């Protein structure tokens, strides 16, 4: 394919993905906004006042970056996993695969579609948080970089999940039994300094901890871990997941059989 044709194919996939989640916004954008508002009201205002400060900030200010990142993670992941599996289920993905569109363009188009939804939800949650507390911003560049890299990483993870899934139940297994526990134990609601030494060491094995703390450092300037290590880890995961997803797509894993 010519470069212009590759660009048209990529643009078509990306626009279709964006139109898909914006068309059904009551199912994709509204629920996380309501859920995070409840988190802000209950954990931030009601319980947070009794907890006091954490990391030199009010509890509400401390958990806001984590909650924003949690919404980005879950929505970027679920967008790609549900969209690509639906294409498999409806057998429309075969039309895409037999076209001359390179597989890396297909993977990139679906991934950036998930990134678009993750960032859109993250922006909505950020705006909602301003109704509950004042937000500082230590580093705009780092904040945007971390949230974009995280959305890319979990969009790729959602793509791999969709390839292996054989039913809609399989699509929800990973978010329910892996993603949600990792997110809740990833320092969204607390600092790992509060944990005993053993559990601090265990927490360092959780990749979500690095993303949440890097994002929190970009907003508040505080972190439990080294931010540069967090960026390196996220980049390594992105490269590994992109290569793995592309290999599965080239093999036709879960599609041809």
């Amino acid at each position: 394919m010519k470069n212009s044709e590759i660009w048209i194919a990529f643009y078509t996939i990306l626009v279709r993905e964006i139109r898909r989640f914006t068309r059904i916004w009551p199912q994709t954008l509204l629920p996380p906004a309501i859920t995070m508002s409840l988190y802000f009201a209950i954990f931030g205002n009601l319980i947070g006042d009794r907890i006091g400060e954490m990391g030199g900030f009010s509890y509400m200010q401390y958990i806001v970056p984590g909650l924003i990142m949690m919404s980005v993670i879950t929505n970027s992941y679920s967008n790609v996993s549900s969209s690509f599996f639906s294409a498999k289920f409806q057998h429309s993905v075969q039309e895409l695969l037999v076209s001359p569109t390179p597989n890396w363009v297909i993977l990139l188009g679906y991934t950036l579609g998930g990134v678009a939804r993750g960032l859109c939800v993250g922006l909505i949650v950020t705006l909602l948080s301003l109704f509950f507390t004042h937000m500082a911003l230590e580093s705009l560049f780092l904040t945007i970089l971390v949230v974009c890299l995280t959305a890319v990483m979990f969009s790729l993870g959602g793509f791999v999940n969709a390839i292996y899934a054989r039913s809609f139940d399989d699509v929800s297994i990973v978010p329910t039994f892996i993603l949600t526990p990792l997110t809740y134990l990833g320092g969204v609601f607390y600092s790992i300094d509060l944990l005993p030494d053993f559990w601090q060491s265990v927490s360092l094995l959780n990749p979500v901890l690095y993303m949440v703390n890097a994002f929190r450092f970009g907003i508040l300037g505080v972190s439990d871990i080294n931010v540069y290590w967090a960026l390196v880890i996220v980049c390594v995961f992105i490269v590994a997941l992109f290569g793995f997803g592309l290999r599965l797509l080239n093999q036709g894993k879960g599609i041809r059989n």
Side-chain angles (χ1 to χ4, degrees):
M1 292 181 72
K2 298 178 182 177
N3 289 336
S4 59
E5 293 171 336
I6 290 176
W7 166 251
I8 291 173
F10 166 73
Y11 179 77
T12 303
I13 296 172
L14 177 59
V15 170
R16 186 196 62 182
E17 287 300 294
I18 294 175
R19 285 180 177 174
R20 190 190 73 85
F21 76 78
T22 53
R23 186 178 63 250
I24 54 174
W25 64 269
Q27 302 171 36
T28 56
L29 302 181
L30 188 58
I34 295 174
T35 302
M36 290 303 153
S37 296
L38 292 174
Y39 274 116
F40 292 144
I42 297 173
F43 289 95
N45 285 348
L46 298 180
I47 299 177
D49 290 341
R50 301 192 178 196
I51 294 177
E53 291 189 349
M54 188 170 291
F57 295 88
S58 69
Y59 187 65
M60 180 68 180
Q61 289 175 312
Y62 189 82
I63 66 172
V64 163
L67 292 175
I68 295 171
M69 188 58 77
M70 187 166 73
S71 64
V72 172
I73 288 172
T74 54
N75 282 276
S76 56
Y77 189 94
S78 62
N79 188 77
V80 181
S81 61
S82 61
S83 178
F84 192 76
F85 180 76
S86 296
K88 282 175 51 180
F89 184 77
Q90 297 167 359
H91 301 291
S92 60
V93 71
Q94 281 83 350
E95 298 176 4
L96 188 60
L97 294 175
V98 297
S99 72
T101 306
N103 286 337
W104 66 267
V105 174
I106 298 173
L107 177 57
L108 195 61
Y110 273 95
T111 299
L112 292 188
V115 171
R117 177 175 162 184
L119 296 182
C120 189
V121 172
L123 179 61
I124 292 173
V125 174
T126 302
L127 295 176
L128 284 173
S129 70
L130 298 178
F131 288 99
F132 294 89
T133 186
H134 169 71
M135 289 281 290
L137 187 58
E138 183 73 15
S139 171
L140 178 62
F141 173 75
L142 180 62
T143 302
I144 294 176
L145 178 64
V146 172
V147 74
C148 288
L149 290 177
T150 302
V152 170
M153 174 181 157
F154 282 94
S155 293
L156 289 168
F159 189 86
V160 173
N161 183 191
I163 285 183
Y164 277 108
R166 295 185 177 181
S167 67
F168 283 101
D169 290 335
D170 292 340
V171 174
S172 62
I173 285 177
V174 173
T176 302
F177 294 101
I178 299 178
L179 198 57
T180 301
L182 286 177
T183 305
Y184 277 82
L185 297 174
V188 172
F189 299 101
Y190 58 87
S191 168
I192 63 170
D193 291 338
L194 300 176
L195 301 175
D197 292 340
F198 173 76
W199 290 111
Q200 284 189 29
S201 301
V202 173
S203 296
L204 293 177
L205 300 176
N206 183 356
V208 176
L209 176 75
Y210 295 86
M211 300 165 210
V212 169
N213 275 277
F215 188 67
R216 181 173 287 137
F217 185 84
I219 294 179
L220 302 179
V222 296
S223 173
D224 294 332
I225 49 88
N226 187 307
V227 176
Y228 297 105
W229 270 114
L231 294 175
V232 170
I233 289 173
V234 174
C235 290
V236 169
F237 269 104
I238 287 175
V239 172
L241 286 171
F242 189 88
F244 188 54
L246 189 59
R247 181 182 178 185
L248 293 176
L249 205 54
N250 290 335
Q251 293 175 339
K253 183 76 176 180
I255 301 172
R256 294 176 183 171
N257 53 351

